[in-house]
Amino acid sequence: MNNQVKKFERWRNDMVESQIIARGVTDSSVIKAMKKIPRHLFVSDALVESAYGDHPLPIGEGQTISQPYIIAEMTQALELKGDERVLEIGTGSGYQAAVLAAIVDRVYTIERNNTLFLNTKKLFDKLKYHNIVTKYSDGTLGWDQQSPFDAIIVTAGGEEIPEPLIKQLAPGGKLIMPVGGNFTQELIIVKKTTKGIITKNLGGCRFVKLIGQHGWKNN
Ligand code: SAH
């Protein structure tokens, strides 16, 4: 193993220990996935040195990749066992999808920005993440042909949870999404049960806008 690779592995371990485990994330599959996925490969060359820092990072096209802790918290909230099919809305850099794909059987991910879609699709091929299926579309409509999903993660914020996504969630399935206004939102987790929908608020957060038919209308 060369020194660069070793350095990033060390930074990755430090990130997981000090930002994720120290703040109370306990799910061993999440911890293992985040120790494995090379976050620095999901950002531009100029940002490689800050890839493991305790903050979000720009990924181009006015979008951002979430702070590592938020990724861990959202992934843990889905309580994944490994045999699930998960839908992600907002592929972006592909980092969140890669973390999910290290845990579950198959990840479906939708991106509405063509530049990010094409770049990230190429990266998944290069890194041989063969269990991630990508789509260029408006994710607020979900992915009907591939539904139902055991879990859905929306990585952009909207005023309400898009109706099609609730419909495409399997019985017993969980959905997590930042819900709120333009600038700040609350992280909402929804569980679909036979008795209806159970909702829990995990607290404040800040995401870029979910834009689409069941999201924000403007850019
Ligand atoms: N999960 C990403 C985070 C990217 S930021 C990562 O790990 O890097 C949110 C992304 O959601 C942006 O790339 C944005 O273009 C995308 N997005 C916004 N509205 C969308 C929609 N309706 N459908 C699909 N993607 C959307």
Side-chain angles (χ1 to χ4, degrees), residues 59 63-66 71 88-97 110-113 116 137-140 155-156 208-212:
I59 55 170
Q63 308 301 319
T64 53
I65 173 174
S66 298
I71 306 257
E88 179 196 27
I89 312 302
T91 313
S93 70
Y95 179 71
Q96 171 74 74
I110 306 177
E111 174 57 54
R112 71 177 285 277
N113 179 292
L116 291 172
S137 179
D138 173 6
T140 68
T155 63
V208 296
K209 280 190 193 172
L210 180 71
I211 296 166

Side-chain angles (χ1 to χ4, degrees), residues 22-204:
R23 293 192 187 127
V25 171
T26 53
D27 185 323
S28 58
S29 64
V30 175
I31 291 167
K32 196 170 150 202
M34 292 190 65
K35 281 194 175 171
K36 178 173 161 197
I37 303 299
R39 186 167 158 100
H40 65 281
L41 299 183
F42 294 82
V43 297
S44 63
D45 291 348
L47 294 173
V48 159
E49 299 285 316
S50 43
Y52 295 98
D54 193 10
H55 45 69
L57 290 164
I59 55 170
E61 303 293 306
Q63 308 301 319
T64 53
I65 173 174
S66 298
Q67 174 191 13
Y69 173 71
I70 295 289
I71 306 257
E73 189 190 22
M74 288 176 82
T75 309
Q76 172 168 271
L78 295 173
E79 297 179 288
L80 301 165
K81 301 280 172 284
D83 58 353
E84 292 90 349
R85 301 165 73 254
V86 180
L87 174 68
E88 179 196 27
I89 312 302
T91 313
S93 70
Y95 179 71
Q96 171 74 74
V99 168
L100 288 164
I103 301 172
V104 301
D105 281 348
R106 195 163 288 265
V107 177
Y108 298 84
T109 182
I110 306 177
E111 174 57 54
R112 71 177 285 277
N113 179 292
N114 199 241
T115 304
L116 291 172
F117 168 75
L118 292 172
N119 287 345
T120 301
K121 190 178 162 62
K122 227 184 280 166
L123 181 66
F124 289 153
D125 286 343
K126 189 175 146 202
L127 298 177
K128 300 193 168 61
Y129 292 155
H130 297 310
N131 63 337
I132 304 178
V133 189
T134 59
K135 182 175 173 154
Y136 171 55
S137 179
D138 173 6
T140 68
L141 301 171
W143 196 333
D144 207 20
Q145 301 94 308
Q146 298 293 354
S147 70
F149 298 97
D150 305 300
I152 300 179
I153 180 166
V154 186
T155 63
E159 286 181 293
E160 54 190 46
I161 296 168
E163 182 63 42
L165 299 184
I166 302 270
K167 220 176 267 167
Q168 292 171 27
L169 198 56
K174 293 193 192 76
L175 178 152
I176 190 159
M177 172 174 161
V179 180
N182 264 342
F183 298 107
T184 59
Q185 306 88 27
E186 311 275 323
L187 218 38
I188 303 295
I189 176 120
V190 160
K191 187 171 181 185
K192 194 174 191 175
T193 74
T194 48
K195 295 193 188 86
I197 299 286
I198 301 170
T199 302
K200 208 168 121 189
N201 186 338
L202 299 181

